[in-house]
Amino acid sequence: MNCNVLIVDDSPILRKAIKKVVRLAGVEEDRIHEAGNGQEALEILETVWIDLVLLDLNMPVMDGEQFAQELRKREDLAGVAVVIVSTEANKERLDRLKALGIVNSLRKPFEPEDLCRLIAKTLGVKQ
């Protein structure tokens, strides 16, 4: 799969696990980027074109919702696909994210196959 993916999660262990699944989905190692919070993710987006962000919501410094709001404010980044990968269950919070155009989400813990399918679906890749 010829795309750049950004994994945003404050847990290095979860980033590593998600990265493994992203590789299984067909994304090359050098096209996978990582950030520990929303602020780091925005900094990466300044220098690297990203096709898909896999975003945790509960993080220090800048949480996923704040990141998504900032992302949608920027005309050059507003179209970046975002998938929520989080333990978050708060319906109001998830509704706010849907209002920002983020419609795909996956609850942690997840099955690797489910994340692979969601990546493919979000990027419009047939499996």
Side-chain angles (χ1 to χ4, degrees):
M1 195 177 310
N2 195 16
C3 65
N4 291 319
V5 176
L6 175 58
I7 301 165
V8 187
D9 197 303
D10 60 321
S11 167
I13 293 168
L14 282 171
R15 285 197 311 268
K16 184 176 181 177
I18 293 170
K19 186 174 186 176
K20 185 175 182 179
V21 175
V22 172
R23 284 197 316 265
L24 289 172
V27 179
E28 296 173 22
E29 175 92 27
D30 64 338
R31 293 182 165 272
I32 304 170
H33 306 273
E34 299 179 45
N37 61 59
Q39 185 60 49
E40 288 177 17
L42 288 173
E43 291 168 9
I44 289 170
L45 285 163
E46 291 289 329
T47 60
V48 179
W49 176 259
I50 298 295
D51 299 289
L52 173 63
V53 176
L54 300 175
L55 181 66
D56 184 23
L57 293 179
N58 302 306
M59 298 177 289
V61 182
M62 177 185 280
D63 69 25
E65 185 174 356
Q66 292 167 321
F67 166 81
Q69 290 168 346
E70 288 300 313
L71 189 70
R72 296 306 187 225
K73 286 180 189 175
R74 303 244 335 246
E75 193 173 308
D76 58 330
L77 299 174
V80 174
V82 178
V83 171
I84 302 300
V85 182
S86 179
T87 59
E88 185 64 56
N90 181 302
K91 184 178 176 349
E92 291 82 22
R93 189 174 196 195
L94 294 173
D95 286 345
R96 288 193 304 267
L97 290 159
K98 282 182 184 177
L100 292 171
I102 301 169
V103 295
N104 291 322
S105 64
L106 187 63
R107 289 276 316 266
K108 293 178 190 172
F110 57 85
E111 294 297 322
E113 299 81 18
D114 293 336
L115 182 55
C116 283
R117 276 193 293 276
L118 193 52
I119 290 169
K121 175 185 171 188
T122 304
L123 294 174
V125 176
K126 297 201 186 258
Q127 288 187 307

